Amino acid sequence: MFDLSKQEIEKGNGDPYDGRVVDTEKTTDEKYGTTQRGLKSRHIQLIALGGCIGTGLFVGTGATLSTTGPAPLFMSFVVISSIVWVVMQCLGELSAYVPTQGSSVPIYVKRYVEPSLAFAAGWNYCYWSNPVPVAIWLTIVLGTIIMLNVIVVSWYGESEFWFASIKIIGIMGLIILGVVLFFGGGPNHDRLGFRYWQRPGAVSSGSATVFQWFVNLTTISGYIAWIILLITYLRFRRALEFNGMLDQRPYKSPLQPYATYYALSILVVLTLTNGFQVFFPGKFTASTFLAAYITLPIVIVLYLGHKIWFRTPLYLRVHSIDVYSGKEEADRLEELDMPPIPKNMLEKIWFWIA
């Protein structure tokens, strides 16, 4: 058994299953790169909050509310929120353990699971997140987004902070408006109350149908991405246990690994039953079926095609998973990081926010 604390198993192209032994200290920067902190706490918090608020909060919840009513809608929010919490906890552990340049889920998958799954995961992200501009204004928006993602990360974080702040202020305003209308504060002073609790009313069928197709496409891709991430976390955790390094995680998420097993099992069920409504009598259409399940065969073909072409292993054996490269450097930078010291109460409040 190799002592991986001093050496690592690495293939010539960067895959750790070939069997050649090289010095970790000489390849850390070349293999995984270095990072520099550019995002503040307020940037990360607002990016997370802003990313949760979008079109789905209005159109998606409206269509579901009209179909199922408020109770199932609330229960679905609770279940999915718990899954998202687990996924973010796992991603937090992976990211905090060894912050590397250009970190992404495919990089973690390649390092802790195997290359073919990483290849499929990378294309899965590209498949569902790559927008196609259809008008001049959309091109402008797309150009702005690309620019914000290629400039200095601190500028990106600052722009996301203010954009997300506007979005959150807007949704809070709509919530306040809903409360006012609920109690009859509208122009006609009609107190709505729970009038539409049992019968939510009609939803624009055209926009709801198109949006549902989009939701089906992106939902399955998102579920697959989460499933791959959770599998990666389990392999990462298993490798740490094997090397006796479980206590060296900078961030330790609670309820693990049981929370991951819970989220993984539910996500598998949701992925397979996402398009269940198309199997109801009179509900089946080719477009709806394809929108609900087309992502599954695409990811499988990508995975199997890469595995057959490059002849990658089914998975990396636990003793060959690299849990050392970059760890010493990350720990050193963490020790050198000094939080700012507030000079007055105003700075103390701002540093707590920022």
Side-chain angles (χ1 to χ4, degrees):
M1 187 73 65
F2 290 106
D3 182 6
L4 294 182
S5 62
K6 298 180 180 179
Q7 297 173 316
E8 67 173 348
I9 300 175
E10 183 189 55
K11 191 176 180 180
N13 61 1
D15 297 330
Y17 56 83
D18 185 315
R20 289 195 292 163
V21 179
V22 295
D23 188 356
T24 299
E25 295 181 358
K26 295 181 180 180
T27 60
T28 298
D29 292 340
E30 296 177 1
K31 184 175 181 180
Y32 296 113
T34 57
T35 57
Q36 181 179 358
R37 293 188 179 184
L39 295 179
K40 299 180 180 179
S41 176
R42 61 185 176 91
H43 295 156
I44 298 174
Q45 293 174 17
L46 267 295
I47 289 173
L49 290 174
C52 298
I53 302 174
T55 309
L57 186 63
F58 304 101
V59 181
T61 56
T64 305
L65 180 65
S66 177
T67 304
T68 65
L73 178 63
F74 174 75
M75 289 187 291
S76 66
F77 261 103
V78 172
V79 173
I80 295 299
S81 296
S82 67
I83 293 176
V84 172
W85 181 82
V86 174
V87 171
M88 292 299 101
Q89 294 294 311
C90 294
L91 185 58
E93 277 200 34
L94 290 168
S95 302
Y97 182 74
V98 180
T100 58
Q101 187 175 11
S103 293
S104 63
V105 172
I107 289 179
Y108 297 137
V109 177
K110 182 179 181 180
R111 181 168 180 172
Y112 300 119
V113 186
E114 62 97 18
S116 295
L117 192 61
F119 175 80
W123 277 101
N124 179 52
Y125 274 100
C126 178
Y127 169 71
W128 68 268
S129 63
N130 186 25
V132 180
V134 294
I136 296 178
W137 65 269
L138 188 56
T139 303
I140 296 174
V141 172
L142 183 64
T144 303
I145 294 174
I146 293 176
M147 182 187 69
L148 291 174
N149 280 272
V150 298
I151 60 177
V152 180
V153 68
S154 59
W155 294 6
Y156 163 77
E158 198 67 33
S159 63
E160 283 290 331
F161 173 81
W162 292 109
F163 290 154
S165 299
I166 295 173
K167 186 187 292 187
I168 292 173
I169 292 173
I171 187 62
M172 290 180 65
L174 290 174
I175 292 174
I176 294 174
L177 176 62
V179 174
V180 171
L181 295 177
F182 180 90
F183 289 104
N188 57 1
H189 302 289
D190 181 18
R191 184 174 180 179
L192 298 178
F194 292 98
R195 182 183 306 170
Y196 299 108
W197 183 263
Q198 296 295 335
R199 297 181 180 180
V203 178
S204 176
S205 60
S207 62
T209 301
V210 174
F211 182 79
Q212 191 60 42
W213 290 346
F214 175 76
V215 167
N216 285 336
L217 285 170
T218 57
T219 297
I220 289 295
S221 296
Y223 286 166
I224 293 174
W226 289 352
I227 288 173
I228 294 175
L229 174 64
L230 295 177
I231 293 174
T232 302
Y233 172 76
L234 292 175
R235 294 298 296 166
F236 161 75
R237 185 182 177 90
R238 178 70 184 90
L240 291 181
E241 291 177 344
F242 177 82
N243 290 279
M245 299 179 62
L246 202 59
D247 293 334
Q248 298 188 26
R249 294 169 293 165
Y251 173 72
K252 302 178 180 65
S253 58
L255 306 177
Q256 295 291 5
Y258 310 106
T260 300
Y261 291 128
Y262 152 77
L264 186 60
S265 60
I266 293 183
L267 283 172
V268 170
V269 174
L270 290 176
T271 301
L272 297 177
T273 61
N274 178 65
F276 71 94
Q277 65 272 12
V278 303
F279 300 107
F280 281 41
K283 298 291 185 179
F284 182 87
T285 62
S287 60
T288 305
F289 177 81
L290 289 175
Y293 291 106
I294 188 62
T295 309
L296 281 173
I298 290 177
V299 173
I300 292 174
V301 168
L302 289 171
Y303 170 73
L304 293 178
H306 185 277
K307 182 165 291 295
I308 294 173
W309 183 264
F310 291 98
R311 298 182 179 180
T312 59
L314 182 62
Y315 58 90
L316 298 180
R317 295 190 176 185
V318 66
H319 69 269
S320 64
I321 295 178
D322 178 15
V323 294
Y324 290 100
S325 294
K327 177 60 177 169
E328 182 178 352
E329 179 70 11
D331 291 342
R332 186 181 66 83
L333 292 176
E334 180 67 23
E335 293 176 357
L336 295 176
D337 184 62
M338 298 294 294
I341 301 176
K343 299 178 181 179
N344 49 54
M345 183 58 66
L346 183 61
E347 285 191 356
K348 187 175 183 180
I349 296 174
W350 176 249
F351 289 161
W352 180 78
I353 296 174

